[in-house]
Amino acid sequence: MVTHAAAPQPLLSIIVPAWNVQNFIAACLESVLDQMGPRHELIVIDDGSRDATLARARALIEARSDMACTVLAQDNQGIAMARNRGLACARGEYIVFVDSDDRLLAGSLAALEQAIDAHHPDVIACDFRVWLPDQEDKSHRVGLRYRPGLLRDQATILNTFFADRQMYVWAKVFKRAVYEQLEAPVFPPGRVFEDMSTLPRLLSQCASLLYLPHAIIDYRQHPDSITKLISETWCMDLAGALPVARGHLERLGVAPSVKTHFDIAAGYFYIGVVKDSYELPRASGRRVRAFIKSVFVESLFGDCASMLAAVQAGQTVSIDREHDARMIRQVERALAGNFVFRARQTASRKIKVWKRLRRTQKAALGL
């Protein structure tokens, strides 16, 4: 473990979980270290990397002895457990997560400090940038739909969150005290959709939210990203996320509008996973669809008819109401086992798999 002496309580704890990212860890940590000051601490958790990630992280930290930095090493337990360990070690009033293949965009820590000093909210919601390093012209900013200013209405906070469907913990900067209100472990171990089950629970504990229209993270897109790997486990992890979030909202007694927005967001994730499942071998795909169907239906507060009625009546926060309505109708067809829907998805996914294989082959040949 590498640890540097720290000041009294920092304002911001920046937590970076890392695993087998030797080609990205330097750029990530430098993007943080270049912005750090006396009100910040950096915690890097190496999750059992088998490459040079840990050595490179230690070398960078050792060269910055004037900063409050810690590098921890643990056996491989997954990103959720790495985040949980970072939380346990953090001393800052607020928590900033940065994934180890991403970058903290310039000016982010200063912008967060100014927002905290002015408003001291329970959570700060930030924009981010989808970053394609090899196709910079396609990189683009993703803005949230919160209105400017300090929000203190729980329904507005949650409804807008579910309408945006940006389930990334690094796009939300929570007070550490908000994390401490949840039962440990905060991030469910071994799950791909750990953000999806955790973020609704965190936001539901917040009495205030400030939207900061500053892009905080360069969200790297690359073929090895976990979100690009379709497997039976990946698909079924959705089933573990929905009931956790739904149960927490139910116990809190959230407003009916929140329940509707949760159902619509769940519908989007459900239909996305159903479509992805057609890339799996036939038996695995069928097994996945049967399993997530039952869990999805049980996790809804209402049904497709009530979702569609709310959308058509203009009672929801929405990016595109027509798109929401189409999604709900697709969910209805998927749940009903509609033959046309299944045939289209089978053909569509086979074409996508073929195109991906062609791209891989061309890349291997240097074409």
Side-chain angles (χ1 to χ4, degrees):
M1 180 176 74
V2 176
T3 303
H4 293 165
Q9 184 189 23
L11 180 68
L12 298 172
S13 290
I14 302 97
I15 299 175
V16 181
W19 179 72
N20 287 356
V21 285
Q22 62 180 13
N23 295 329
F24 309 122
I25 190 65
C28 173
L29 295 184
E30 287 170 353
S31 75
V32 176
L33 291 164
D34 289 346
Q35 301 182 46
M36 284 181 63
R39 302 177 79 186
H40 312 140
E41 70 170 356
L42 171 63
I43 302 170
V44 182
I45 306 94
D46 181 80
D47 187 42
S49 294
R50 297 188 299 271
D51 61 6
T53 297
L54 179 58
R56 293 180 182 182
R58 282 174 169 164
L60 281 168
I61 297 308
E62 287 170 355
R64 306 286 187 112
S65 59
D66 58 324
M67 297 179 180
C69 302
T70 300
V71 179
L72 304 172
Q74 65 181 32
D75 293 338
N76 181 244
Q77 301 174 59
I79 189 172
M81 291 303 290
R83 285 175 173 169
N84 289 332
R85 187 172 183 193
L87 282 173
C89 297
R91 300 180 304 113
E93 186 178 358
Y94 288 81
I95 303 295
V96 181
F97 279 105
V98 181
D99 284 355
S100 54
D101 55 350
D102 296 338
R103 299 186 305 193
L104 186 71
L105 287 166
S108 293
L109 297 187
L112 289 170
E113 281 191 65
Q114 292 172 7
I116 292 167
D117 290 342
H119 301 282
H120 220 74
D122 287 342
V123 59
I124 303 170
C126 304
D127 294 344
F128 60 93
R129 198 173 78 111
V130 173
W131 176 36
L132 292 86
D134 298 326
Q135 297 175 292
E136 278 288 0
D137 59 315
K138 294 186 178 180
S139 298
H140 59 277
R141 180 168 174 157
V142 176
L144 305 184
R145 297 185 64 79
Y146 287 106
R147 63 172 175 78
L150 196 65
L151 297 177
R152 296 189 180 276
D153 178 66
Q154 183 191 65
T156 301
I157 291 171
L158 288 169
N159 291 349
T160 308
F161 166 72
F162 287 128
D164 278 336
R165 300 185 302 281
Q166 301 298 344
M167 304 284 177
Y168 306 115
V169 72
W170 40 255
K172 305 285 189 297
V173 177
F174 291 92
K175 281 184 175 179
R176 183 160 55 92
V178 174
Y179 282 101
E180 292 172 347
Q181 291 176 38
L182 297 187
E183 187 175 334
V186 172
F187 294 97
R191 294 272 172 81
V192 176
F193 288 95
E194 75 279 353
D195 288 3
M196 188 172 176
S197 62
T198 300
L199 277 169
R201 293 184 294 138
L202 288 169
L203 284 169
S204 68
Q205 305 294 124
C206 294
S208 59
L209 176 147
L210 180 73
Y211 170 46
L212 180 63
H214 173 96
I216 187 174
I217 291 288
D218 251 348
Y219 178 29
R220 183 190 295 268
Q221 306 295 295
H222 55 83
D224 296 328
S225 170
I226 193 169
T227 57
K228 303 295 184 185
L229 304 176
I230 307 301
S231 68
E232 188 169 341
T233 300
W234 184 92
C235 293
M236 286 189 172
D237 269 357
L238 174 68
L242 286 178
V244 173
R246 197 257 194 214
H248 184 81
L249 296 175
E250 178 71 31
R251 288 190 294 273
L252 284 179
V254 294
S257 67
V258 175
K259 296 178 180 180
T260 299
H261 284 81
F262 172 85
D263 285 354
I264 293 171
Y268 269 104
F269 288 106
Y270 168 72
I271 200 64
V273 173
V274 166
K275 292 178 179 180
D276 286 336
S277 73
Y278 282 90
E279 294 187 21
L280 297 171
R282 181 174 297 181
S284 295
R286 287 177 175 171
R287 187 163 51 245
V288 162
R289 289 189 288 278
F291 181 71
I292 66 171
K293 174 182 175 179
S294 63
V295 176
F296 170 68
V297 172
E298 291 174 3
S299 297
L300 293 178
F301 287 102
D303 54 24
C304 289
S306 60
M307 282 189 265
L308 190 58
V311 168
Q312 292 176 332
Q315 297 171 349
T316 59
V317 179
S318 177
I319 298 172
D320 184 336
R321 293 191 190 284
E322 291 185 7
H323 191 267
D324 291 345
R326 285 196 300 273
M327 177 277 297
I328 295 167
R329 293 189 183 99
Q330 282 190 324
V331 170
E332 288 180 316
R333 290 193 288 271
L335 293 175
N338 179 273
F339 173 78
V340 174
F341 175 84
R342 287 188 286 114
R344 285 178 176 172
Q345 295 311 313
T346 300
S348 173
R349 294 296 151 159
K350 285 184 180 299
I351 291 171
K352 288 187 177 181
V353 170
W354 177 80
K355 287 182 176 179
R356 187 180 302 138
L357 179 62
R358 289 285 294 168
R359 286 197 299 270
T360 302
Q361 291 173 337
K362 286 183 178 180
L365 295 171
L367 299 177

